[in-house]
Each structure stands twice: as C-alpha cells, then as structure tokens.
Amino acid sequence: MTAGNLLRTSLDFCLAHWQLLIPLALAGMLPITMLGYLLEGNAALNMLVGFATLQVVQGALTMTALGLLSGRVFDPAGDVSRAINLCLPLIFVGITVGTLVAGGIFFLIFPGIYLIGALLLTTPLLMTEGGGLRAMMRSWDMTEGHRWQLFLAVSVAIVMMFVGSTLIYRFAQTLGVFDYVVVILDVIFGTLILTYSTALSVTAFRSLAPRLRQSTA
C-alpha cells in the first residue's frame, strides 16, 4: 500500500458511489451546520452538540462505505441505527483521538498528522468490532509498518482540502457574496471532506484487514 495508491483508490471509491455516499453525508451535515448557527450564542453547547452529532454521522457513513465494499445490501436506516447504538463509544473515541492529535499538532504539527494515520482505522474497527479504546489499540497495531505511508496520504489530503477550501472562500469574498453563500459553502465542504475522509479510512481498512479482503475477494 502506497500513499498515492490509497489516495487514488479512495477517490475512485467516492466517484463510484457518490450517489449513495454524498446524500448520506449531506443529510448529516445539514443539521450539524444549522445547529451550529442556532447555538451560535453558546459556544460550549454548540461545540458539544456538533461534535457528538458528527461522530454518529461519521459512524453511519463508515458502515455504509464498509457495506458497499463487502457487497452488503444498501441499508442506511440500519447503518444509522448501529451508529446511534454506538454513539457513546464513538464520542469517547472522537474525544480521545482528537485530544491526542491536537496535542501532536501542537508539537510541531507532524506528530499530530502521524497519529491521524496511525489511528485512521479506529472508526471502521469500532463499527465492525465494537469497543472504544480497544479499537484505537487495534488501529495502532494494524497500521504498524504502514504509518509513514498513511502519514503521507493524510498530509496530502489535508493540504488539498485546505487549499481547495481557501481558494473557494477567497473567490466568494472577491465576488462580494461571501455573507450570502457561507452557509452553503460550509455544508458543501463539510459534506465533501466527510465523504472523502471516510473513504480514506475505509479504503485503508480494506487494505490492512485480512477478513475484509477475504469477504470482498
């Protein structure tokens, strides 16, 4: 598994299944964005509700992506139901991974990105095997020997997303319509980033998890 192959395979997966993945991601991003504006006066509650909702949405999208890879019948209601049932482990993992990554980024950025790669499989493992801390430990073990490839892939993806979003927002500002389109841009970029980041983690999981490779062979 190389970084270039992982990035390309993830993009191909998104393009092949965009008609299923994008609507699900969009259905999750819309309430998150709207809640953000409704709770704008309460920063702490806004962050808590938005973060918790995002973990559930990402869990459901991960289950859908795994189902598409394994040939399972498309079942968005079942995927959302499983994500809701695992909401507490998802939130725990999200907080723990987020704290570790933030700490790593604080120390010269690169350790944080390295940790993103090392823990990239956490959500797919949590959704398929359960657990919380155990899923993080399993991700750490399964990515051994591939962490620098994942580091490079995550780094390229982050740079591409940052550059793309910055250019679009700057373009909107130059047109003088930034105030009117900021909500739409937030939803669009949130949807695209959520979809691609999920595809990246699931594609990496497919490459590194023998059982999934066997089931999709």
Side-chain angles (χ1 to χ4, degrees):
M1 179 185 66
T2 65
N5 179 260
L6 179 59
L7 289 166
R8 184 171 57 253
T9 303
S10 301
L11 180 59
D12 290 342
F13 178 72
C14 288
L15 294 175
H17 301 288
W18 68 267
Q19 70 274 26
L20 298 177
L21 297 175
I22 292 293
L24 286 176
L26 180 60
M29 286 306 304
L30 281 172
I32 292 174
T33 303
M34 298 312 298
L35 281 172
Y37 283 96
L38 290 173
L39 300 174
E40 192 172 6
N42 191 327
L45 183 61
N46 185 358
M47 183 172 65
L48 178 63
V49 173
F51 182 83
T53 306
L54 179 61
Q55 302 313 304
V56 175
V57 171
Q58 188 169 34
L61 193 63
T62 297
M63 279 302 296
T64 297
L66 289 170
L68 291 171
L69 283 173
S70 63
R72 176 172 55 82
V73 175
F74 182 56
D75 181 21
D79 296 336
V80 171
S81 176
R82 177 156 178 79
I84 292 174
N85 290 335
L86 291 171
C87 65
L88 292 181
L90 283 167
I91 293 170
F92 167 78
V93 162
I95 292 173
T96 306
V97 172
T99 301
L100 291 172
V101 169
I105 289 176
F106 180 77
F107 291 102
L108 302 177
I109 298 178
F110 296 106
I113 301 176
Y114 181 83
L115 283 172
I116 294 176
L119 301 174
L120 190 64
L121 311 184
T122 301
T123 300
L125 284 165
L126 173 57
M127 297 306 298
T128 55
E129 300 179 2
L133 186 60
R134 183 180 64 187
M136 294 173 57
M137 295 173 65
R138 286 270 290 138
S139 178
W140 182 268
D141 291 339
M142 288 174 62
T143 56
E144 185 176 2
H146 301 277
R147 292 179 193 145
W148 288 112
Q149 293 97 318
L150 292 171
F151 170 88
L152 182 57
V154 170
S155 299
V156 171
I158 289 174
V159 169
M160 290 174 61
M161 292 174 186
F162 176 78
V163 171
S165 61
T166 300
L167 290 175
I168 294 298
Y169 278 99
R170 290 288 177 85
F171 179 68
Q173 283 181 304
T174 61
L175 294 179
V177 295
F178 185 76
D179 291 339
Y180 300 98
V181 300
V182 64
V183 177
I184 297 174
L185 290 176
D186 283 345
V187 172
I188 291 174
F189 274 103
T191 298
L192 294 178
I193 290 172
L194 178 60
T195 302
Y196 187 74
S197 61
T198 300
L200 193 65
S201 66
V202 168
T203 302
F205 181 57
R206 184 189 189 191
S207 299
L208 299 176
R211 282 193 302 172
L212 186 58
R213 285 205 302 270
Q214 292 170 6
S215 67
T216 55

